[in-house]
Amino acid sequence: MRYILGLLLFLYSVSAWAQTLRIADKAQFEVEVAQTPEQLQRGLMYVKELPKNRGMLFDLRQYPKASMWMKNTYVSLDMLFVDCDFNVVDIYPNAKPQSLDKISSATDFCYVLEILAGTAQKYNLLVGDKVFLNPSI
């Protein structure tokens, strides 16, 4: 029984980071895609460490004008707002951990990519950069 539980946990952890996301030719990340209401609500809450090459992509196509917050999020994040054509349309750097401030974009977007704070600047990620998700969603 313990073996089966361990195997299930291993398989979950492998599948959770199974998507590869690339931004232009600048950076590549392993991302978990949040699509269900529960995944979208939880996001990266309670995560205490986020490796530099990992992140979460929020699929918000069903929630136009959604906003993000940092409630119960312990690591500072950069948030990249991405339109339905997979172009970066806005960047919110260094979101403050545990903040209840609403974070959004004045430009229409369909996705939000959360990555470790400072990563957007480190890789010179810019508005207009193309995002590639393999396999695409």
Side-chain angles (χ1 to χ4, degrees), residues 63-112:
Y63 305 98
K65 302 296 180 187
S67 59
M68 311 297 283
W69 66 355
M70 296 289 289
K71 180 180 181 180
N72 298 320
T73 305
Y74 301 116
V75 294
S76 185
L77 300 170
D78 288 345
M79 295 184 192
L80 283 71
F81 294 84
V82 178
D83 68 14
C84 290
D85 293 324
F86 285 92
N87 297 300
V88 176
V89 295
D90 203 355
I91 299 173
Y92 187 93
N94 302 309
K96 182 181 174 185
Q98 309 260 9
S99 173
L100 299 181
D101 294 342
K102 290 183 179 180
I103 301 168
S104 192
S105 174
T107 304
D108 290 340
F109 61 93
C110 294
Y111 307 94
V112 175

Side-chain angles (χ1 to χ4, degrees), residues 15-135:
S15 65
W17 299 105
Q19 300 286 335
T20 299
L21 182 141
R22 181 171 49 91
I23 302 175
D25 288 324
K26 300 177 181 182
Q28 182 169 302
F29 305 94
E30 294 301 314
V31 298
E32 180 177 0
V33 178
Q35 293 178 301
T36 68
E38 295 79 18
Q39 292 169 330
L40 292 168
Q41 184 176 8
R42 183 176 174 100
L44 291 173
M45 286 183 176
Y46 309 107
V47 171
K48 298 207 180 199
E49 286 186 27
L50 184 64
K52 63 182 178 179
N53 66 331
R54 297 235 173 121
M56 179 169 278
L57 182 68
F58 292 80
D59 181 350
L60 298 168
R61 290 177 289 179
Q62 293 183 353
Y63 305 98
K65 302 296 180 187
S67 59
M68 311 297 283
W69 66 355
M70 296 289 289
K71 180 180 181 180
N72 298 320
T73 305
Y74 301 116
V75 294
S76 185
L77 300 170
D78 288 345
M79 295 184 192
L80 283 71
F81 294 84
V82 178
D83 68 14
C84 290
D85 293 324
F86 285 92
N87 297 300
V88 176
V89 295
D90 203 355
I91 299 173
Y92 187 93
N94 302 309
K96 182 181 174 185
Q98 309 260 9
S99 173
L100 299 181
D101 294 342
K102 290 183 179 180
I103 301 168
S104 192
S105 174
T107 304
D108 290 340
F109 61 93
C110 294
Y111 307 94
V112 175
L113 173 64
E114 292 185 345
I115 52 180
L116 194 61
T119 302
Q121 182 178 8
K122 176 180 178 181
Y123 291 109
N124 193 33
L125 303 179
L126 302 169
V127 169
D129 282 347
K130 189 74 172 169
V131 175
F132 301 91
L133 185 65
N134 185 17

